[in-house]
């Protein structure tokens, strides 16, 4: 009888422990969730603008942009010739241009900017397209020592470049190429980034990859089914390493 009288009390203490544990878990998670609300990501069709355009003119084109307080960053391109675009990025503060950069890639590569991620502070990533390596200044000079240092073999298919950028002046700190690879001949194939996610340490890249996406060791995956593939790669924040990579029906 003594054992039976103590059982409800034990159960009550166990229930209380569970409730308190749940409350503590919620308390621990909440600040992390709130910390992510300041991070903005914007992807879309790249638009053309000049460094002399007003913010109103660029904004009206509805290209990718990220906003923090009075500051807005826009990304796009400058049309150099009928078959050549150069990427461009600009920051306005209260409608006044603070800086504009059009010197990231000035070769015959038909590249443009089409994606941004910004935490409102020092963490800014830009996403650009590339169609091949040509003589002159391009993103290869920023990619030394990073995960993928160049476009690779071939030319024509559009691939991605992800660059960590200093939001105070637009300088590129470092960059990596992100490409697909044809396993039959090693030639570079198309890849387009659709989304970036930042958790304070790692950068998750969601992309569309044509035959075939790469493993963390940069080799081509083995894939079945129809291309393109939805591809996810988790980079370290400094873009030197891919911690994990996956795509449906690929291994």
């Amino acid at each position: 009888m003594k054992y039976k009288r103590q059982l409800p009390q034990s159960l009550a203490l166990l229930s209380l422990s569970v409730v308190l544990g749940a409350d503590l878990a919620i308390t621990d998670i909440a600040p992390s969730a709130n910390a992510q609300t300041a991070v903005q990501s914007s992807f879309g069709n790249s638009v053309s603008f000049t460094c002399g355009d007003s913010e109103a003119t660029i904004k009206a084109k509805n290209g990718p942009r990220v906003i923090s307080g009075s500051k807005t960053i826009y990304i796009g391109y400058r049309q150099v010739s009928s078959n050549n675009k150069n990427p461009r990025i600009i920051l306005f503060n209260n409608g006044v241009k603070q800086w504009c950069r059009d010197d990231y890639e000035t070769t015959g590569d038909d590249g443009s900017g089409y994606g941004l991620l910004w935490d409102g502070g020092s963490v800014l990533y830009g996403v650009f397209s590339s169609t091949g390596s040509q003589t002159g200044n391009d993103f290869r000079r920023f990619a030394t020592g990073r995960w993928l240092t160049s476009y690779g073999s071939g030319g024509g298919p559009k691939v991605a470049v992800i660059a960590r950028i200093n939001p105070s002046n637009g300088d590129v700190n470092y960059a990596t190429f992100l490409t697909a690879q044809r396993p039959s001949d090693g030639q570079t194939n198309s890849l387009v980034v659709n989304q970036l996610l930042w958790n304070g340490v790692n950068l998750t890249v969601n992309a569309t990859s044509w035959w075939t996406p790469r493993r963390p060791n940069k080799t081509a995956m083995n894939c079945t089914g129809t291309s393109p593939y939805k591809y996810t790669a988790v980079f370290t924040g400094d873009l030197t390493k891919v911690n994990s990579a996956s795509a449906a029906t690929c291994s």
Side-chain angles (χ1 to χ4, degrees):
M1 294 299 293
K2 184 177 181 181
Y3 172 78
K4 289 182 179 179
R5 285 197 300 271
Q6 289 177 341
L7 182 59
Q9 182 180 4
S10 300
L11 289 176
L13 290 172
L14 178 60
S15 299
L16 180 60
S17 298
V18 171
V19 171
L20 289 174
D23 287 342
L24 288 173
I26 292 171
T27 302
D28 289 341
I29 292 171
S32 176
N34 291 337
Q36 298 306 308
T37 58
V39 179
Q40 291 192 26
S41 179
S42 178
F43 284 77
N45 293 326
S46 190
V47 298
S48 175
F49 59 84
T50 74
C51 285
D53 285 343
S54 68
E55 181 172 12
T57 297
I58 299 173
K59 182 179 180 180
K61 297 188 176 185
N62 293 318
R65 70 179 187 270
V66 285
I67 303 168
S68 178
S70 60
K71 298 178 180 179
T72 305
I73 300 173
Y74 300 84
I75 197 169
Y77 66 89
R78 177 173 69 93
Q79 192 73 48
V80 180
S81 67
S82 59
N83 61 354
N84 184 16
K85 298 186 293 291
N86 289 346
R88 174 165 288 180
I89 185 169
I90 191 169
L91 183 147
F92 291 93
N93 188 356
N94 281 319
V96 178
K97 181 181 70 177
Q98 299 297 291
W99 50 259
C100 182
R101 301 298 294 264
D102 60 358
D103 57 345
Y104 298 158
E105 182 273 299
T106 57
T107 72
D109 181 6
D110 187 30
S112 60
Y114 64 92
L116 292 165
L117 180 143
W118 191 23
D119 72 345
S122 62
V123 178
L124 172 64
Y125 290 93
V127 180
F128 306 86
S129 63
S130 174
T131 59
S133 296
Q134 299 192 34
T135 302
N137 288 328
D138 62 12
F139 285 99
R140 285 174 295 178
R141 69 191 190 279
F142 306 121
T144 302
R146 305 300 150 171
W147 185 68
L148 204 60
T149 59
S150 71
Y151 177 93
S153 301
K158 185 178 293 186
V159 306
V161 178
I162 303 170
R164 178 73 175 255
I165 299 169
N166 183 343
S168 66
N169 55 18
D171 286 350
V172 172
N173 295 329
Y174 40 79
T176 185
F177 287 78
L178 183 56
T179 72
Q181 184 181 43
R182 295 202 302 257
S184 58
D185 57 11
Q187 296 287 296
T188 294
N189 216 2
S190 300
L191 184 145
V192 176
V193 173
N194 309 120
Q195 184 186 45
L196 295 180
L197 299 170
W198 173 250
N199 68 359
V201 178
N202 296 319
L203 183 72
T204 298
V205 180
N206 292 318
T208 301
S209 175
W210 280 257
W211 199 284
T212 60
R214 294 178 184 266
R215 301 184 182 98
N217 66 2
K218 307 173 194 174
T219 59
M221 292 181 173
N222 295 320
C223 297
T224 59
T226 305
S227 176
Y229 306 98
K230 296 301 180 184
Y231 174 64
T232 298
V234 181
F235 282 85
T236 54
D238 61 4
L239 305 179
T240 59
K241 179 182 177 182
V242 169
N243 291 325
S244 63
S246 61
T249 71
C250 296
S251 61

